[in-house]
Amino acid sequence: MSDPNGTDQPDPLDSFEEIIEAETTRDPDLAVIEAGSRTLRTQGGPPQADVPARPEDPEVDKALREVEAELATRWGETKLEPSVTRIAALMDVLGEPQRSYPSIHITGTNGKTSTARMIEALLGGFELRTGRYTSPHVQSITERISLDGAPISAERFVETYQDIKPYVEMVDGQQEYRLSFFEVLTGMAYAAFADAPVDVAVVEVGMGGSWDATNVIDGDVAVVTPIGLDHTDRLGGTTAEIAGEKSGIIKQDATVILAQQPVDAAQVLLKKAVEVDATVAREGLEFGVTARQVAVGGQLLTLRGLGGEYPEVYLPLHGAHQAHNAAVALAAVEAFFGVGAQRAEPLDIDTVRKAFAAVSSPGRLEVVRRSPTVVLDAAHNPAGAEATAEAVREAFDFSRLIGVVGASGDKDVRGLLEAFEPIFAEVVVTRNSSHRAMDVDELAAVAVEVFGDERVQVEPRLPDALEAAITLAEEEGEFAGGGVLVTGSVITVGEARLLLGKG
Protein backbone atom coordinates (compact mmCIF):
# COMPACT_ATOMS: atom_id res chain seq x y z
CA MET A 1 0.00 0.00 0.00
CA SER A 2 1.03 3.65 -0.27
CA ASP A 3 1.24 6.33 2.35
CA PRO A 4 -0.29 9.81 1.76
CA ASN A 5 3.01 10.93 0.25
CA GLY A 6 2.88 8.24 -2.39
CA THR A 7 5.75 6.08 -1.11
CA ASP A 8 5.17 2.34 -1.15
CA GLN A 9 4.88 0.56 2.16
CA PRO A 10 4.45 -3.19 2.76
CA ASP A 11 0.93 -4.37 3.48
CA PRO A 12 0.97 -5.81 7.00
CA LEU A 13 -1.41 -8.57 5.98
CA ASP A 14 1.11 -9.82 3.42
CA SER A 15 3.36 -10.90 6.28
CA PHE A 16 0.70 -13.03 8.00
CA GLU A 17 1.78 -16.33 6.43
CA GLU A 18 5.46 -15.43 6.82
CA ILE A 19 5.01 -14.93 10.56
CA ILE A 20 3.29 -18.31 10.89
CA GLU A 21 6.05 -20.07 8.89
CA ALA A 22 8.71 -18.45 11.03
CA GLU A 23 7.11 -19.82 14.20
CA THR A 24 8.34 -23.34 13.48
CA THR A 25 9.15 -24.16 17.10
CA ARG A 26 5.74 -23.23 18.50
CA ASP A 27 2.31 -24.75 18.53
CA PRO A 28 0.81 -23.89 15.10
CA ASP A 29 -2.45 -22.63 16.59
CA LEU A 30 -0.60 -20.24 18.87
CA ALA A 31 1.45 -19.10 15.88
CA VAL A 32 -1.74 -18.25 14.00
CA ILE A 33 -3.03 -16.21 16.95
CA GLU A 34 0.25 -14.38 17.37
CA ALA A 35 0.47 -13.66 13.67
CA GLY A 36 -3.08 -12.34 13.63
CA SER A 37 -2.43 -10.23 16.69
CA ARG A 38 0.74 -8.74 15.26
CA THR A 39 -0.72 -7.89 11.87
CA LEU A 40 -3.80 -6.35 13.47
CA ARG A 41 -1.59 -4.25 15.74
CA THR A 42 0.31 -3.06 12.69
CA GLN A 43 -2.94 -2.09 11.02
CA GLY A 44 -4.71 -0.47 13.88
CA GLY A 45 -2.09 0.78 16.31
CA PRO A 46 -2.02 -0.21 19.97
CA PRO A 47 -4.88 -2.53 20.90
CA GLN A 48 -7.60 -1.13 23.14
CA ALA A 49 -8.72 -3.04 26.18
CA ASP A 50 -11.89 -5.12 25.79
CA VAL A 51 -12.78 -4.07 29.32
CA PRO A 52 -11.60 -0.50 29.87
CA ALA A 53 -10.43 0.77 33.23
CA ARG A 54 -11.58 4.03 34.79
CA PRO A 55 -10.37 7.07 32.84
CA GLU A 56 -6.94 8.27 33.94
CA ASP A 57 -7.84 11.93 33.44
CA PRO A 58 -9.57 13.06 36.68
CA GLU A 59 -11.84 15.47 34.81
CA VAL A 60 -12.98 12.80 32.37
CA ASP A 61 -13.52 10.35 35.22
CA LYS A 62 -15.57 12.96 37.08
CA ALA A 63 -17.71 13.64 34.00
CA LEU A 64 -18.29 9.92 33.44
CA ARG A 65 -19.28 9.43 37.08
CA GLU A 66 -21.77 12.29 36.77
CA VAL A 67 -23.36 10.63 33.74
CA GLU A 68 -23.47 7.28 35.54
CA ALA A 69 -25.12 8.98 38.53
CA GLU A 70 -27.76 10.60 36.32
CA LEU A 71 -28.50 7.31 34.56
CA ALA A 72 -28.79 5.60 37.96
CA THR A 73 -31.76 7.81 38.84
CA ARG A 74 -33.78 6.09 36.11
CA TRP A 75 -35.54 2.74 36.20
CA GLY A 76 -32.99 -0.06 36.32
CA GLU A 77 -32.84 -2.89 33.82
CA THR A 78 -35.12 -5.15 35.84
CA LYS A 79 -37.97 -2.61 36.11
CA LEU A 80 -39.90 -2.59 32.87
CA GLU A 81 -43.05 -1.21 31.31
CA PRO A 82 -43.29 -3.49 28.27
CA SER A 83 -43.57 -1.00 25.43
CA VAL A 84 -41.41 0.62 22.76
CA THR A 85 -43.46 3.83 22.94
CA ARG A 86 -40.84 5.87 24.80
CA ILE A 87 -37.82 4.72 22.79
CA ALA A 88 -39.78 5.26 19.55
CA ALA A 89 -40.55 8.80 20.67
CA LEU A 90 -36.86 9.38 21.40
CA MET A 91 -35.86 8.05 17.98
CA ASP A 92 -38.41 10.36 16.40
CA VAL A 93 -37.02 13.53 17.98
CA LEU A 94 -33.45 12.38 17.23
CA GLY A 95 -34.29 12.02 13.53
CA GLU A 96 -34.48 8.21 13.41
CA PRO A 97 -30.71 7.53 13.67
CA GLN A 98 -31.32 3.76 13.75
CA ARG A 99 -32.54 3.91 10.14
CA SER A 100 -29.22 5.18 8.81
CA TYR A 101 -27.42 1.80 8.76
CA PRO A 102 -28.31 -1.87 8.28
CA SER A 103 -28.34 -4.04 11.38
CA ILE A 104 -28.04 -7.58 12.69
CA HIS A 105 -30.35 -8.08 15.68
CA ILE A 106 -29.63 -10.81 18.25
CA THR A 107 -31.94 -12.37 20.82
CA GLY A 108 -31.98 -15.66 22.76
CA THR A 109 -31.32 -16.74 26.34
CA ASN A 110 -27.63 -17.64 26.33
CA GLY A 111 -24.67 -16.80 24.11
CA LYS A 112 -25.89 -13.45 22.79
CA THR A 113 -22.84 -11.37 23.72
CA SER A 114 -20.25 -13.91 22.56
CA THR A 115 -22.14 -14.34 19.29
CA ALA A 116 -22.33 -10.55 18.85
CA ARG A 117 -18.57 -10.28 19.36
CA MET A 118 -17.93 -12.97 16.75
CA ILE A 119 -20.26 -11.31 14.24
CA GLU A 120 -18.51 -8.00 14.88
CA ALA A 121 -15.08 -9.58 14.36
CA LEU A 122 -16.15 -11.18 11.07
CA LEU A 123 -17.69 -7.98 9.71
CA GLY A 124 -14.58 -6.04 10.74
CA GLY A 125 -12.44 -8.62 8.97
CA PHE A 126 -14.29 -7.76 5.78
CA GLU A 127 -13.43 -4.08 6.33
CA LEU A 128 -16.85 -2.92 7.40
CA ARG A 129 -17.11 -0.29 10.11
CA THR A 130 -19.11 -1.83 12.94
CA GLY A 131 -21.12 -0.63 15.91
CA ARG A 132 -21.91 -3.17 18.63
CA TYR A 133 -24.44 -2.74 21.42
CA THR A 134 -24.43 -5.41 24.14
CA SER A 135 -25.46 -5.72 27.78
CA PRO A 136 -24.86 -5.97 30.64
CA HIS A 137 -21.31 -4.71 30.99
CA VAL A 138 -18.57 -6.60 32.85
CA GLN A 139 -16.79 -3.64 34.45
CA SER A 140 -17.31 -0.36 32.60
CA ILE A 141 -20.57 1.04 31.27
CA THR A 142 -18.69 2.16 28.15
CA GLU A 143 -18.28 -1.51 27.11
CA ARG A 144 -21.91 -1.54 26.02
CA ILE A 145 -21.30 0.68 22.99
CA SER A 146 -18.42 -0.33 20.71
CA LEU A 147 -17.12 1.06 17.44
CA ASP A 148 -14.77 -0.96 15.25
CA GLY A 149 -14.44 -3.66 17.88
CA ALA A 150 -13.48 -1.44 20.82
CA PRO A 151 -15.57 0.24 23.51
CA ILE A 152 -16.11 3.93 22.89
CA SER A 153 -13.92 6.19 24.98
CA ALA A 154 -15.20 7.70 28.20
CA GLU A 155 -15.00 11.13 26.54
CA ARG A 156 -17.16 10.01 23.63
CA PHE A 157 -19.61 8.29 25.96
CA VAL A 158 -20.07 11.52 27.92
CA GLU A 159 -20.35 13.60 24.73
CA THR A 160 -22.99 11.26 23.32
CA TYR A 161 -25.01 11.47 26.52
CA GLN A 162 -24.81 15.25 26.58
CA ASP A 163 -25.82 15.41 22.91
CA ILE A 164 -29.05 13.47 23.39
CA LYS A 165 -29.85 14.65 26.95
CA PRO A 166 -32.11 17.57 25.86
CA TYR A 167 -34.13 15.20 23.67
CA VAL A 168 -34.34 12.62 26.45
CA GLU A 169 -35.72 15.28 28.80
CA MET A 170 -38.18 16.36 26.11
CA VAL A 171 -39.52 12.81 25.79
CA ASP A 172 -39.55 12.39 29.58
CA GLY A 173 -41.90 15.34 29.81
CA GLN A 174 -44.31 13.91 27.24
CA GLN A 175 -44.58 10.33 28.53
CA GLU A 176 -46.33 8.73 31.49
CA TYR A 177 -42.98 7.24 32.61
CA ARG A 178 -39.48 8.63 32.13
CA LEU A 179 -37.15 6.79 29.79
CA SER A 180 -35.39 3.95 31.62
CA PHE A 181 -31.65 3.44 32.07
CA PHE A 182 -31.61 0.89 29.25
CA GLU A 183 -33.73 3.02 26.94
CA VAL A 184 -31.40 6.00 27.29
CA LEU A 185 -28.35 3.80 26.65
CA THR A 186 -30.06 2.33 23.58
CA GLY A 187 -30.71 5.84 22.29
CA MET A 188 -27.07 6.72 22.92
CA ALA A 189 -25.88 3.66 20.99
CA TYR A 190 -28.06 4.31 17.98
CA ALA A 191 -27.03 7.97 17.93
CA ALA A 192 -23.34 7.10 18.27
CA PHE A 193 -23.57 4.59 15.42
CA ALA A 194 -25.21 7.18 13.13
CA ASP A 195 -22.63 9.79 14.09
CA ALA A 196 -19.65 7.50 13.43
CA PRO A 197 -21.08 6.52 10.91
CA VAL A 198 -21.06 2.71 10.93
CA ASP A 199 -21.59 0.39 7.98
CA VAL A 200 -23.55 -2.10 10.10
CA ALA A 201 -24.82 -2.30 13.68
CA VAL A 202 -24.70 -5.52 15.71
CA VAL A 203 -27.37 -5.19 18.38
CA GLU A 204 -28.12 -7.50 21.29
CA VAL A 205 -31.54 -7.23 22.93
CA GLY A 206 -31.71 -6.41 26.62
CA MET A 207 -34.59 -8.78 27.40
CA GLY A 208 -37.12 -10.55 25.22
CA GLY A 209 -37.65 -9.00 21.82
CA SER A 210 -41.08 -7.62 20.96
CA TRP A 211 -41.06 -4.79 23.49
CA ASP A 212 -37.31 -4.58 24.06
CA ALA A 213 -35.97 -1.05 23.64
CA THR A 214 -33.62 -2.19 20.88
CA ASN A 215 -36.58 -3.31 18.75
CA VAL A 216 -37.01 0.01 16.96
CA ILE A 217 -34.56 -1.29 14.35
CA ASP A 218 -35.52 -3.46 11.41
CA GLY A 219 -32.73 -6.03 11.44
CA ASP A 220 -31.82 -7.30 7.99
CA VAL A 221 -30.67 -10.44 9.83
CA ALA A 222 -32.39 -11.69 12.99
CA VAL A 223 -30.34 -14.10 15.11
CA VAL A 224 -31.88 -16.31 17.80
CA THR A 225 -29.38 -18.03 20.08
CA PRO A 226 -30.54 -20.99 22.23
CA ILE A 227 -33.70 -20.25 24.21
CA GLY A 228 -34.07 -21.52 27.78
CA LEU A 229 -35.94 -20.61 30.94
CA ASP A 230 -34.81 -17.23 32.24
CA HIS A 231 -36.70 -14.05 33.19
CA THR A 232 -39.77 -16.28 33.39
CA ASP A 233 -41.66 -13.65 35.39
CA ARG A 234 -41.33 -11.28 32.42
CA LEU A 235 -41.22 -13.52 29.36
CA GLY A 236 -43.29 -16.59 30.20
CA GLY A 237 -42.99 -19.91 31.99
CA THR A 238 -42.25 -22.13 28.96
CA THR A 239 -39.67 -21.94 26.19
CA ALA A 240 -42.56 -21.57 23.70
CA GLU A 241 -43.88 -18.50 25.53
CA ILE A 242 -40.39 -17.03 25.76
CA ALA A 243 -39.86 -17.70 22.04
CA GLY A 244 -43.07 -15.80 21.35
CA GLU A 245 -41.60 -12.68 22.93
CA LYS A 246 -38.20 -13.14 21.32
CA SER A 247 -39.70 -13.71 17.86
CA GLY A 248 -40.64 -10.03 17.88
CA ILE A 249 -37.28 -9.12 16.37
CA ILE A 250 -38.09 -11.08 13.19
CA LYS A 251 -39.13 -8.46 10.65
CA GLN A 252 -40.69 -8.52 7.20
CA ASP A 253 -38.45 -10.19 4.57
CA ALA A 254 -35.54 -10.59 7.01
CA THR A 255 -33.23 -13.59 7.16
CA VAL A 256 -33.50 -15.55 10.42
CA ILE A 257 -30.55 -17.51 11.78
CA LEU A 258 -31.77 -20.05 14.32
CA ALA A 259 -29.45 -21.80 16.74
CA GLN A 260 -30.55 -25.23 17.95
CA GLN A 261 -33.79 -24.73 19.89
CA PRO A 262 -36.24 -26.71 22.02
CA VAL A 263 -38.96 -28.09 19.74
CA ASP A 264 -41.73 -25.88 21.10
CA ALA A 265 -39.58 -22.75 20.76
CA ALA A 266 -38.56 -23.66 17.20
CA GLN A 267 -42.21 -24.08 16.19
CA VAL A 268 -43.09 -20.60 17.45
CA LEU A 269 -40.10 -18.99 15.73
CA LEU A 270 -40.76 -20.74 12.42
CA LYS A 271 -44.42 -19.73 12.53
CA LYS A 272 -43.44 -16.07 12.98
CA ALA A 273 -40.95 -16.31 10.11
CA VAL A 274 -43.67 -17.64 7.80
CA GLU A 275 -46.03 -14.81 8.81
CA VAL A 276 -43.53 -12.11 7.78
CA ASP A 277 -42.05 -13.91 4.74
CA ALA A 278 -38.66 -14.23 6.41
CA THR A 279 -36.05 -16.68 5.14
CA VAL A 280 -34.91 -19.19 7.77
CA ALA A 281 -31.57 -20.97 8.19
CA ARG A 282 -31.44 -23.56 10.99
CA GLU A 283 -28.43 -24.90 12.82
CA GLY A 284 -28.06 -28.59 12.13
CA LEU A 285 -29.78 -28.30 8.75
CA GLU A 286 -28.59 -25.35 6.68
CA PHE A 287 -25.45 -24.70 8.76
CA GLY A 288 -23.61 -26.04 11.78
CA VAL A 289 -20.45 -27.39 13.41
CA THR A 290 -19.04 -30.27 11.35
CA ALA A 291 -16.04 -31.05 13.56
CA ARG A 292 -14.29 -29.67 16.60
CA GLN A 293 -11.26 -30.59 18.66
CA VAL A 294 -9.67 -29.07 21.73
CA ALA A 295 -6.63 -26.93 20.93
CA VAL A 296 -4.23 -24.89 23.01
CA GLY A 297 -6.18 -21.96 24.40
CA GLY A 298 -9.39 -22.82 22.57
CA GLN A 299 -10.57 -25.17 19.83
CA LEU A 300 -10.14 -25.97 16.15
CA LEU A 301 -13.38 -26.08 14.18
CA THR A 302 -14.76 -27.09 10.84
CA LEU A 303 -17.89 -25.05 10.21
CA ARG A 304 -20.51 -25.61 7.55
CA GLY A 305 -21.96 -22.32 6.47
CA LEU A 306 -24.67 -21.28 4.05
CA GLY A 307 -22.06 -21.13 1.30
CA GLY A 308 -20.04 -24.26 2.00
CA GLU A 309 -17.44 -25.63 4.39
CA TYR A 310 -14.91 -23.60 6.39
CA PRO A 311 -12.18 -25.94 7.69
CA GLU A 312 -9.43 -25.32 10.27
CA VAL A 313 -11.02 -22.34 11.98
CA TYR A 314 -9.25 -21.61 15.27
CA LEU A 315 -11.46 -20.13 18.01
CA PRO A 316 -9.67 -18.96 21.19
CA LEU A 317 -12.72 -19.67 23.38
CA HIS A 318 -13.57 -22.86 25.26
CA GLY A 319 -16.58 -25.13 25.08
CA ALA A 320 -18.98 -26.73 22.63
CA HIS A 321 -21.40 -23.85 23.23
CA GLN A 322 -18.86 -21.39 21.83
CA ALA A 323 -18.37 -23.57 18.76
CA HIS A 324 -22.13 -23.42 18.18
CA ASN A 325 -22.06 -19.64 18.72
CA ALA A 326 -19.35 -19.47 16.06
CA ALA A 327 -21.49 -21.40 13.57
CA VAL A 328 -24.42 -19.05 14.23
CA ALA A 329 -22.20 -15.97 13.88
CA LEU A 330 -20.75 -17.20 10.59
CA ALA A 331 -24.20 -17.93 9.16
CA ALA A 332 -25.42 -14.50 10.24
CA VAL A 333 -22.56 -12.75 8.44
CA GLU A 334 -23.02 -14.94 5.36
CA ALA A 335 -26.71 -13.99 5.35
CA PHE A 336 -25.81 -10.32 5.70
CA PHE A 337 -23.60 -10.58 2.60
CA GLY A 338 -26.24 -12.57 0.71
CA VAL A 339 -24.38 -15.89 0.70
CA GLY A 340 -26.84 -18.67 -0.10
CA ALA A 341 -29.25 -16.18 -1.66
CA GLN A 342 -27.79 -13.57 -4.03
CA ARG A 343 -24.40 -15.31 -4.22
CA ALA A 344 -23.36 -18.94 -4.06
CA GLU A 345 -19.67 -18.75 -3.19
CA PRO A 346 -18.61 -18.83 0.48
CA LEU A 347 -16.84 -16.02 2.30
CA ASP A 348 -13.07 -15.78 1.97
CA ILE A 349 -11.72 -18.52 4.23
CA ASP A 350 -8.53 -16.69 5.22
CA THR A 351 -10.49 -13.63 6.34
CA VAL A 352 -12.86 -15.85 8.32
CA ARG A 353 -9.96 -17.64 10.03
CA LYS A 354 -8.18 -14.41 10.95
CA ALA A 355 -11.37 -12.90 12.35
CA PHE A 356 -12.24 -15.87 14.53
CA ALA A 357 -8.65 -16.17 15.78
CA ALA A 358 -8.89 -12.61 17.11
CA VAL A 359 -12.19 -13.07 18.99
CA SER A 360 -12.34 -12.47 22.73
CA SER A 361 -15.24 -12.61 25.16
CA PRO A 362 -14.32 -11.25 28.59
CA GLY A 363 -15.92 -13.05 31.52
CA ARG A 364 -16.70 -16.15 29.47
CA LEU A 365 -14.38 -18.92 30.74
CA GLU A 366 -11.69 -16.26 30.98
CA VAL A 367 -8.46 -17.24 32.73
CA VAL A 368 -7.29 -14.31 34.85
CA ARG A 369 -4.67 -15.94 37.06
CA ARG A 370 -2.36 -18.97 37.24
CA SER A 371 -1.03 -20.99 40.20
CA PRO A 372 -3.75 -21.67 41.02
CA THR A 373 -5.73 -21.07 37.87
CA VAL A 374 -8.67 -18.71 38.38
CA VAL A 375 -11.37 -18.73 35.71
CA LEU A 376 -14.28 -16.28 35.39
CA ASP A 377 -17.57 -17.19 33.77
CA ALA A 378 -20.78 -15.16 33.73
CA ALA A 379 -23.18 -18.13 33.70
CA HIS A 380 -26.31 -17.06 35.61
CA ASN A 381 -28.98 -19.61 34.72
CA PRO A 382 -29.09 -23.44 34.66
CA ALA A 383 -28.61 -23.79 30.89
CA GLY A 384 -25.62 -21.48 30.92
CA ALA A 385 -24.17 -23.26 33.96
CA GLU A 386 -24.52 -26.67 32.29
CA ALA A 387 -22.68 -25.42 29.20
CA THR A 388 -19.93 -23.92 31.37
CA ALA A 389 -19.56 -27.08 33.46
CA GLU A 390 -19.21 -29.22 30.33
CA ALA A 391 -16.64 -26.81 28.88
CA VAL A 392 -14.61 -26.86 32.11
CA ARG A 393 -14.51 -30.67 32.01
CA GLU A 394 -13.32 -30.58 28.42
CA ALA A 395 -10.82 -27.70 28.45
CA PHE A 396 -9.26 -27.78 31.92
CA ASP A 397 -7.58 -30.62 33.76
CA PHE A 398 -8.39 -29.56 37.31
CA SER A 399 -7.74 -32.13 40.01
CA ARG A 400 -9.86 -30.06 42.41
CA LEU A 401 -12.06 -27.14 41.47
CA ILE A 402 -13.39 -24.62 43.98
CA GLY A 403 -16.44 -22.58 43.04
CA VAL A 404 -17.10 -18.99 44.04
CA VAL A 405 -20.78 -18.23 43.47
CA GLY A 406 -22.53 -14.88 43.84
CA ALA A 407 -25.94 -14.92 42.18
CA SER A 408 -28.89 -12.58 41.72
CA GLY A 409 -31.97 -13.23 43.81
CA ASP A 410 -34.30 -13.37 40.80
CA LYS A 411 -32.55 -16.34 39.18
CA ASP A 412 -33.03 -20.13 39.42
CA VAL A 413 -30.17 -20.43 41.87
CA ARG A 414 -30.89 -24.04 42.79
CA GLY A 415 -30.74 -25.07 39.13
CA LEU A 416 -27.49 -23.12 38.71
CA LEU A 417 -25.87 -24.81 41.73
CA GLU A 418 -27.09 -28.25 40.68
CA ALA A 419 -25.42 -27.80 37.29
CA PHE A 420 -22.10 -26.98 38.96
CA GLU A 421 -22.30 -29.59 41.76
CA PRO A 422 -20.56 -32.40 39.81
CA ILE A 423 -17.47 -30.27 39.06
CA PHE A 424 -17.06 -28.33 42.32
CA ALA A 425 -15.19 -30.05 45.15
CA GLU A 426 -16.29 -27.19 47.40
CA VAL A 427 -18.19 -23.96 46.91
CA VAL A 428 -17.69 -20.57 48.52
CA VAL A 429 -20.93 -18.59 48.44
CA THR A 430 -20.79 -14.81 48.50
CA ARG A 431 -22.53 -11.75 47.10
CA ASN A 432 -21.66 -8.87 44.80
CA SER A 433 -22.38 -5.21 45.46
CA SER A 434 -25.63 -5.10 43.44
CA HIS A 435 -28.95 -4.55 45.19
CA ARG A 436 -30.17 -7.53 43.14
CA ALA A 437 -27.65 -9.88 44.76
CA MET A 438 -29.13 -12.82 46.63
CA ASP A 439 -28.76 -12.68 50.41
CA VAL A 440 -25.69 -14.72 51.23
CA ASP A 441 -27.41 -16.72 53.99
CA GLU A 442 -30.27 -17.63 51.64
CA LEU A 443 -27.76 -18.65 48.99
CA ALA A 444 -25.84 -20.70 51.57
CA ALA A 445 -29.01 -22.52 52.62
CA VAL A 446 -29.69 -23.59 49.03
CA ALA A 447 -26.02 -24.52 48.52
CA VAL A 448 -26.05 -26.76 51.63
CA GLU A 449 -29.10 -28.60 50.25
CA VAL A 450 -27.28 -29.18 46.95
CA PHE A 451 -23.69 -29.78 48.13
CA GLY A 452 -24.00 -30.81 51.76
CA ASP A 453 -22.80 -28.81 54.75
CA GLU A 454 -19.15 -29.88 54.57
CA ARG A 455 -18.67 -28.63 51.00
CA VAL A 456 -20.05 -25.11 51.55
CA GLN A 457 -18.18 -22.10 52.93
CA VAL A 458 -19.81 -18.70 53.45
CA GLU A 459 -17.92 -15.45 52.86
CA PRO A 460 -20.26 -12.42 52.62
CA ARG A 461 -17.55 -10.20 51.08
CA LEU A 462 -16.34 -11.08 47.58
CA PRO A 463 -12.64 -10.28 48.32
CA ASP A 464 -12.76 -12.73 51.26
CA ALA A 465 -14.51 -15.32 49.11
CA LEU A 466 -11.81 -15.12 46.44
CA GLU A 467 -9.06 -15.40 49.03
CA ALA A 468 -10.76 -18.38 50.68
CA ALA A 469 -11.26 -20.18 47.35
CA ILE A 470 -7.67 -19.60 46.26
CA THR A 471 -6.44 -20.91 49.63
CA LEU A 472 -8.58 -24.04 49.25
CA ALA A 473 -7.27 -24.59 45.71
CA GLU A 474 -3.68 -24.15 46.89
CA GLU A 475 -4.12 -26.96 49.40
CA GLU A 476 -3.64 -29.33 46.49
CA GLY A 477 -0.05 -28.11 46.15
CA GLU A 478 1.57 -25.95 43.50
CA PHE A 479 1.60 -28.59 40.76
CA ALA A 480 -1.50 -30.60 41.71
CA GLY A 481 -3.95 -28.78 39.43
CA GLY A 482 -6.28 -27.02 41.83
CA GLY A 483 -8.40 -24.23 40.35
CA VAL A 484 -11.11 -21.66 41.08
CA LEU A 485 -14.20 -20.84 39.01
CA VAL A 486 -15.96 -17.55 39.80
CA THR A 487 -19.51 -17.50 38.49
CA GLY A 488 -23.21 -16.82 39.08
CA SER A 489 -23.56 -13.28 37.72
CA VAL A 490 -21.98 -10.86 35.27
CA ILE A 491 -21.65 -8.42 38.17
CA THR A 492 -19.84 -10.96 40.35
CA VAL A 493 -17.47 -11.71 37.49
CA GLY A 494 -16.82 -8.03 36.79
CA GLU A 495 -16.07 -7.24 40.41
CA ALA A 496 -13.82 -10.30 40.73
CA ARG A 497 -12.01 -9.23 37.57
CA LEU A 498 -11.18 -5.87 39.17
CA LEU A 499 -10.12 -7.47 42.44
CA LEU A 500 -7.79 -9.83 40.58
CA GLY A 501 -6.10 -6.93 38.80
CA LYS A 502 -7.73 -7.12 35.37
CA GLY A 503 -8.71 -3.66 34.17
Side-chain angles (χ1 to χ4, degrees):
M1 64 181 175
S2 299
D3 67 13
N5 297 320
T7 57
D8 290 330
Q9 293 184 348
D11 187 333
L13 292 179
D14 291 342
S15 62
F16 188 86
E17 296 297 335
E18 295 172 14
I19 296 171
I20 297 173
E21 291 169 4
E23 296 280 357
T24 53
T25 60
R26 299 186 60 204
D27 181 276
D29 294 330
L30 292 178
V32 170
I33 297 173
E34 177 63 15
S37 173
R38 285 158 64 181
T39 52
L40 287 170
R41 284 199 298 273
T42 306
Q43 279 187 296
Q48 290 184 260
D50 271 325
V51 182
R54 296 297 310 184
E56 293 183 6
D57 185 324
E59 290 301 313
V60 175
D61 187 51
K62 179 185 177 185
L64 179 60
R65 289 184 189 279
E66 288 173 353
V67 171
E68 290 171 320
E70 288 187 26
L71 288 169
T73 65
R74 296 179 176 275
W75 279 1
E77 288 171 280
T78 58
K79 187 171 183 179
L80 304 167
E81 192 278 316
S83 161
V84 294
T85 301
R86 292 171 302 283
I87 188 68
L90 179 60
M91 293 296 100
D92 182 51
V93 296
L94 288 175
E96 304 290 348
Q98 83 283 14
R99 309 282 183 210
S100 62
Y101 39 79
S103 56
I104 297 176
H105 205 178
I106 306 167
T107 191
T109 302
N110 290 306
K112 295 188 296 294
T113 298
S114 293
T115 302
R117 284 175 166 273
M118 293 180 200
I119 291 171
E120 172 190 55
L122 286 164
L123 292 168
F126 287 98
E127 300 185 354
L128 292 184
R129 184 157 210 211
T130 56
R132 172 172 52 85
Y133 181 52
T134 52
S135 60
H137 56 274
V138 177
Q139 284 174 205
S140 171
I141 194 171
T142 60
E143 295 165 41
R144 295 179 180 233
I145 304 172
S146 290
L147 293 172
D148 293 325
I152 63 173
S153 67
E155 294 94 331
R156 190 162 191 169
F157 187 91
V158 172
E159 288 169 6
T160 302
Y161 176 76
Q162 296 298 345
D163 285 345
I164 75 164
K165 182 178 176 180
Y167 302 96
V168 168
E169 292 173 344
M170 185 188 309
V171 173
D172 283 343
Q174 297 169 347
Q175 300 293 322
E176 182 179 2
Y177 304 107
R178 295 170 71 215
L179 287 151
S180 70
F181 169 88
F182 186 73
E183 286 169 333
V184 174
L185 278 175
T186 301
M188 289 173 61
Y190 290 164
F193 296 162
D195 186 59
V198 301
D199 296 316
V200 54
V202 182
V203 178
E204 173 190 336
V205 303
M207 187 188 300
S210 297
W211 42 257
D212 187 75
T214 62
N215 203 31
V216 287
I217 57 171
D218 292 324
D220 302 78
V221 179
V223 177
V224 187
T225 66
I227 290 175
L229 296 178
D230 200 4
H231 301 295
T232 52
D233 57 328
R234 304 282 185 178
L235 304 178
T238 67
T239 48
E241 290 174 343
I242 293 171
E245 285 296 334
K246 292 183 183 293
S247 70
I249 74 162
I250 301 173
K251 304 297 172 57
Q252 188 74 33
D253 299 322
T255 301
V256 186
I257 305 299
L258 292 185
Q260 292 177 339
Q261 304 289 348
V263 173
D264 62 345
Q267 290 172 337
V268 171
L269 294 164
L270 291 169
K271 182 174 182 290
K272 177 59 183 284
V274 169
E275 289 172 357
V276 296
D277 293 322
T279 302
V280 178
R282 298 153 293 178
E283 184 183 5
L285 294 174
E286 285 79 20
F287 69 93
V289 180
T290 302
R292 57 181 293 268
Q293 62 187 74
V294 177
V296 176
Q299 51 194 311
L300 196 63
L301 310 174
T302 298
L303 302 175
R304 181 164 56 83
L306 306 180
E309 194 165 272
Y310 298 79
E312 298 180 7
V313 173
Y314 178 76
L315 180 69
L317 300 175
H318 300 292
H321 62 297
Q322 294 289 18
H324 291 291
N325 290 340
V328 169
L330 177 62
V333 174
E334 285 183 306
F336 182 79
F337 284 122
V339 174
Q342 291 94 344
R343 49 181 281 191
E345 68 274 11
L347 301 176
D348 178 70
I349 182 63
D350 290 332
T351 303
V352 169
R353 286 173 179 155
K354 291 172 192 176
F356 273 121
V359 166
S360 67
S361 195
R364 276 74 180 176
L365 282 175
E366 179 187 17
V367 177
V368 293
R369 172 184 164 149
R370 300 286 186 182
S371 297
T373 298
V374 178
V375 183
L376 307 180
D377 191 85
H380 55 273
N381 55 46
E386 287 168 9
T388 295
E390 185 57 38
V392 168
R393 290 189 191 96
E394 176 184 87
F396 298 92
D397 190 24
F398 292 125
S399 58
R400 186 163 178 260
L401 181 62
I402 311 300
V404 175
V405 177
S408 296
D410 58 349
K411 298 297 181 182
D412 179 1
V413 174
R414 178 181 295 277
L416 180 107
L417 292 172
E418 287 174 347
F420 283 124
E421 190 276 333
I423 67 168
F424 287 164
E426 297 183 53
V427 62
V428 181
V429 297
T430 187
R431 63 167 293 155
N432 56 55
S433 64
S434 168
H435 67 279
R436 293 174 55 201
M438 188 174 191
D439 177 80
V440 73
D441 291 329
E442 292 180 21
L443 179 56
V446 180
V448 166
E449 292 177 10
V450 174
F451 288 85
D453 187 60
E454 293 184 355
R455 293 168 64 195
V456 179
Q457 183 169 330
V458 182
E459 294 290 350
R461 296 179 63 252
L462 183 56
D464 297 335
L466 293 172
E467 184 176 347
I470 289 169
T471 300
L472 287 169
E474 286 175 338
E475 289 178 2
E476 287 282 279
E478 185 179 355
F479 301 106
V484 174
L485 175 63
V486 183
T487 189
S489 163
V490 175
I491 298 169
T492 301
V493 163
E495 292 180 359
R497 210 172 183 277
L498 279 172
L499 289 166
L500 293 166
K502 300 289 284 185

